Amino acid sequence: MKNFLKEIPEQVTRIVFLLIVFIAAFLFIRSNLVPEDFGKTGHYRFSAIDEIISVDIKYAGQDVCNECHDDIVVVKDSSYHHNVTCEVCHGAAAIHADDPVEFTPTAPRERNICPQCHEYLPSRPTGFPQIISASHNPLKPCITCHNPHDPVPPETPKECSACHKEISSTKSISHHALIPCTKCHSVPEKHRLDPREYLPTKPGSREFCGQCHSEDADSEPGIPRIDLETHETKYVCWQCHYPHLPEAK
Ligand code: HEC
Ligand code: HEC
Ligand code: HEC
Ligand code: HEC
Ligand code: HEC
Ligand code: HEC
Ligand code: HEC
Ligand code: HEC
């Protein structure tokens, strides 16, 4: 007998040992950890319902918030965020609804919550408003510019330079630096919001430049003058002088 045991290869004893541990664990779990009514009606347990009912409710739902924060609910429900419920941003707040003063929910004032939905991802539906947070007004919290309960994007910046960057930087180092854009272009207010639909005017004649540059013009002294009647009369001025960086060489 002793010899026989010695002859069993070591790996077999290990497997047998593991098997015994496994069976012992199985029997232990079955008799101690499986609920008593498990198996009585297949996999369904009647007592599961009571257990679920006894779990604390964590989310109150927006209807409950409406009881005290109806002003915010009204604003949010007619905003772009109408489908984003309060507790998505504020966290589970049932405990707050029960005792509003003792427990106040957190508000996501930092920059990190909003990009969870708005960071650019190729898999998001086209048209869903997305930003690249590394370059979209970095460092400032989103809520400095966007009301979280009514997130209309703020109106596009109204400076000409916001859209005509190159022209305005060119002009700023030119002889015309001090002439405002609107001296030469009359710009409809709506151009800034719907630029292609409402175009500004552009100077149309030599006389336009002549109001400052012709010899008899009633303009400030020091402005270089030309004789409008003789100075390169075949062309309009901007065929030779770029109006945003005029040079006379
Ligand atoms: C019974 C009334 C009541 C209900 C219901 C209620 N709140 Fe409030 N809530 C308050 C009061 C009162 C305060 C102000 C507490 C304070 O300033 O200490 C408050 C404050 C807050 C704040 C501000 C926290 C901050 O940092 O300024 C948030 C966010 C908030 N509630 C969200 C919710 C949400 C979400 C719900 C719905 C799940 C909700 N509340 C339901 C009464 C209520
Ligand atoms: C998209 C995320 C988002 C959603 C959705 C949202 N909130 Fe807020 N909420 C915020 C942020 C961010 C602040 C902090 C605003 C601040 O400090 O200027 C805030 C502030 C608050 C405050 C503090 C008072 C105030 O007006 O600044 C209350 C109360 C509040 N929220 C309640 C609600 C309720 C109720 C809902 C649902 C109807 C809701 N919020 C939906 C993000 C959200
Ligand atoms: C749970 C997802 C979610 C979170 C979190 C969220 N948003 Fe939104 N946001 C949306 C949805 C959905 C829309 C509506 C998109 C649409 O109309 O197609 C939207 C719309 C917007 C718009 C309107 C853009 C447009 O179409 O003109 C802005 C701006 C915006 N959110 C800013 C924020 C800010 C700031 C925060 C953080 C306080 C935030 N969002 C948090 C889901 C979210
Ligand atoms: C300094 C102000 C400012 C800050 C801070 C800011 N935004 Fe904006 N956001 C704007 C302006 C202005 C626009 C509209 C013009 C544009 O598209 O750049 C805009 C547009 C958006 C849009 C709409 C984009 C679209 O394609 O319709 C979303 C979404 C948005 N922002 C989300 C955010 C989120 C999220 C944050 C924080 C991570 C944030 N913004 C921080 C000013 C800001
Ligand atoms: C929101 C962006 C935006 C702003 C702000 C803006 N523009 Fe424009 N502008 C455009 C676009 C887009 C066009 C059309 C370009 C095209 O069709 O090739 C344009 C065209 C023009 C044109 C050419 C018109 C034509 O007939 O070719 C002039 C001049 C002009 N803008 C001047 C201005 C001045 C001056 C301001 C400031 C008072 C200004 N713009 C502000 C976007 C803007
Ligand atoms: C001294 C007058 C003058 C000033 C100041 C001026 N422009 Fe012009 N701009 C013109 C003239 C003239 C044209 C027409 C040029 C052409 O047709 O080749 C023009 C053309 C344009 C165009 C059409 C595209 C192009 O490059 O030809 C845009 C856009 C424009 N200007 C924007 C601006 C903006 C923005 C400013 C202010 C930063 C500005 N302009 C200041 C005279 C001026
Ligand atoms: C065919 C090209 C051409 C056209 C068109 C043209 N110029 Fe000139 N302009 C020049 C050249 C080249 C010079 C420099 C040599 C000179 O003084 O004749 C110059 C010089 C100038 C000077 C500087 C004069 C000085 O004393 O420093 C002004 C101002 C000027 N032009 C304005 C205009 C105005 C305004 C128009 C339209 C009415 C215009 N130019 C049309 C080519 C042109
Ligand atoms: C509101 C008056 C005004 C108008 C309109 C105006 N200019 Fe000028 N222009 C100036 C001033 C001021 C200077 C710069 C004088 C200085 O440098 O001291 C100047 C300088 C110039 C110069 C000389 C640059 C150099 O190298 O010395 C030229 C060329 C010129 N403008 C062309 C034009 C053209 C072309 C137009 C029409 C599109 C025009 N200007 C419209 C005021 C005007």
Side-chain angles (χ1 to χ4, degrees):
M1 184 65 187
K2 256 187 183 173
N3 285 347
F4 173 72
L5 276 179
K6 265 186 194 159
E7 274 163 30
I8 299 176
E10 202 185 330
Q11 59 268 41
V12 172
T13 22
R14 280 200 208 128
I15 287 177
V16 170
F17 176 72
L18 282 179
L19 203 64
I20 290 168
V21 169
F22 180 77
I23 290 169
F26 177 78
L27 291 174
F28 176 80
I29 288 168
R30 224 198 134 140
S31 58
N32 291 290
L33 301 180
V34 174
E36 255 173 37
D37 58 345
F38 179 76
K40 290 200 175 129
T41 46
H43 281 262
Y44 178 73
R45 288 190 301 117
F46 292 116
S47 62
I49 293 177
D50 296 329
E51 283 166 24
I52 291 167
I53 289 174
S54 69
V55 170
D56 284 342
I57 292 174
K58 297 215 164 80
Y59 288 88
Q62 188 170 305
D63 292 345
V64 175
C65 316
N66 193 27
E67 286 165 22
C68 306
H69 300 291
D70 50 334
D71 48 340
I72 295 178
V73 174
V74 166
V75 170
K76 189 190 74 72
D77 276 359
S78 54
S79 82
Y80 281 109
H81 275 167
H82 61 95
N83 281 333
V84 185
T85 62
C86 317
E87 288 163 290
V88 168
C89 293
H90 289 293
I95 185 175
H96 162 72
D98 287 343
D99 191 347
V101 180
E102 185 66 22
F103 306 99
T104 39
T106 51
R109 294 187 169 88
E110 309 78 25
R111 260 181 88 89
N112 56 355
I113 302 287
C114 320
Q116 286 176 8
C117 291
H118 288 292
E119 188 70 67
Y120 175 75
L121 281 182
S123 54
R124 294 215 154 116
T126 354
F128 186 80
Q130 297 172 62
I131 50 136
I132 293 165
S133 53
S135 59
H136 183 79
N137 307 297
L139 305 178
K140 288 190 196 133
C142 315
I143 55 170
T144 44
C145 304
H146 302 286
N147 177 350
H149 302 141
D150 185 14
V152 209
E155 265 181 18
T156 12
K158 292 199 159 176
E159 298 300 316
C160 314
S161 59
C163 305
H164 299 291
K165 184 90 186 89
E166 210 168 313
I167 292 178
S168 66
S169 346
T170 307
K171 187 174 85 66
S172 68
I173 53 159
S174 81
H175 290 282
H176 280 168
L178 298 179
I179 308 177
C181 310
T182 45
K183 177 85 192 169
C184 302
H185 302 288
S186 71
V187 184
E189 191 51 39
K190 287 183 176 162
H191 174 64
R192 303 167 199 254
L193 293 174
D194 196 354
R196 281 175 221 283
E197 202 58 36
Y198 302 91
L199 285 174
T201 60
K202 291 188 285 192
S205 67
R206 291 168 54 88
E207 283 68 32
F208 180 85
C209 310
Q211 36 168 332
C212 292
H213 288 293
S214 80
E215 274 166 350
D216 52 355
D218 181 21
S219 57
E220 293 160 39
I223 294 183
R225 309 292 165 134
I226 44 122
D227 184 350
L228 211 54
E229 305 298 323
T230 59
H231 184 76
E232 310 290 358
T233 50
K234 280 202 197 124
Y235 309 96
V236 284
C237 318
W238 43 93
Q239 272 164 298
C240 300
H241 305 287
Y242 183 50
H244 308 128
L245 184 66
E247 281 169 4
K249 286 197 194 103

